[in-house]
Structures are given as structure tokens and as C-alpha cells.
Amino acid sequence: MPLKRCNAPACRSYVDWAERYCEKHKGYADKQYNKDVRYTRENNKRYSYYHSREWKLLREQKLRENNYHCAVCASQGRLNKSNRLVVHHKHRELRDVINDLQARTDLNNLEVLCQYHHNQVTFGKEAGPGD
């Protein structure tokens, strides 16, 4: 496969054509993604809701309702004691309900997931053989 230079400034390392950065500069891709995609003006406006008092109270209410357990793990009969729980919008994502107060605060649209199951739901990955 042909090689090209790493995209980091002043780096002289070569990487595969499909790669952007060498092993030393892998973190640059994340920084660029954050700059170009995650922290754009539109996304900052939309996702600042997750830092609001309203969301924090709603999140805590849903966590207490589910006894701080992942819904998927509980349905499989497992007890997940993870401290990395995510309150996830099930049917309608935040971007769809951001301007609708009633839909945004609907507890029936929220579910508690552990980080593992949240990533599976969000990114559409299938469960591994051990799950």
C-alpha cells in the first residue's frame, strides 16, 4: 500500500494512505473532529441543554426511577453496578425535541443504559459473543 506523510505539522513519519496520522499523533484526529464537528456553534447551542439544571434534575429522577441500573442489563437478568450510566433518549433524540418542552421532559422517552449498551444502541453495533 502506498505511504504518505503524517498530517501533523512538521512530522516526517510515513503512514498508510488510508491513515491520517502516525502513532505519535493519533490524538490530533480527535482534536480536529472536536473543532470541526462536536463544538460547532450549532452543536453548542443544541447540547448546552445537557448542562442545564432542568436536564440534571430530569436525569437524576430517571436514574432513581431505575434504581441506578442499566435497563438492558436488567432485562437480561444481570446486575450492572457501573457508575458510568447514561440517560438516553429512546425514540426521539434531543435534536428532534429541543424546542418542544413537553416532549423534551417526557420520562417515557428516556432510558438508563450503561456505557457499553449506550454505545451499542447509539452506534448500531451488535452484541459481542460474551453478551
Side-chain angles (χ1 to χ4, degrees):
M1 175 156 297
L3 298 176
K4 67 175 187 169
R5 276 211 173 152
C6 173
N7 284 354
C11 182
R12 297 190 181 275
S13 298
Y14 286 93
V15 296
D16 285 337
W17 190 256
E19 298 291 324
R20 293 181 63 202
Y21 297 99
C22 64
E23 288 299 317
K24 182 179 176 184
H25 296 107
K26 285 284 186 194
Y28 278 54
D30 295 336
K31 288 180 184 178
Q32 195 63 36
Y33 174 81
N34 286 341
K35 181 180 175 186
D36 295 342
V37 178
R38 182 172 289 157
Y39 298 120
T40 62
R41 191 172 300 182
E42 179 183 321
N43 281 344
N44 279 342
K45 180 182 169 191
R46 181 182 299 151
Y47 293 108
S48 65
Y49 173 73
Y50 286 121
H51 299 287
S52 71
R53 180 174 171 80
E54 176 187 30
W55 171 251
K56 289 177 182 178
L57 292 172
L58 192 65
R59 180 183 184 279
E60 185 63 30
Q61 184 178 356
K62 191 63 178 181
L63 286 169
R64 285 184 184 165
E65 182 181 294
N66 284 24
N67 296 320
Y68 296 88
H69 290 27
C70 171
V72 177
C73 292
S75 70
Q76 295 173 351
R78 292 186 299 161
L79 181 62
N80 187 335
K81 295 183 179 182
S82 172
N83 60 352
R84 301 216 36 189
L85 295 174
V86 177
V87 177
H88 173 74
H89 288 87
K90 288 193 287 193
H91 307 295
R92 297 176 66 193
E93 292 292 329
L94 178 64
R95 66 178 166 264
D96 301 331
V97 297
I98 192 70
N99 296 322
D100 184 2
L101 179 65
Q102 185 175 1
R104 185 174 63 202
T105 59
D106 182 18
L107 284 174
N108 295 327
N109 186 33
L110 300 175
E111 68 180 337
V112 178
L113 299 173
C114 62
Q115 188 70 45
Y116 176 78
H117 286 115
H118 180 260
N119 289 346
Q120 285 185 335
V121 169
T122 303
F123 303 116
K125 295 182 178 172
E126 294 296 321
D131 198 30

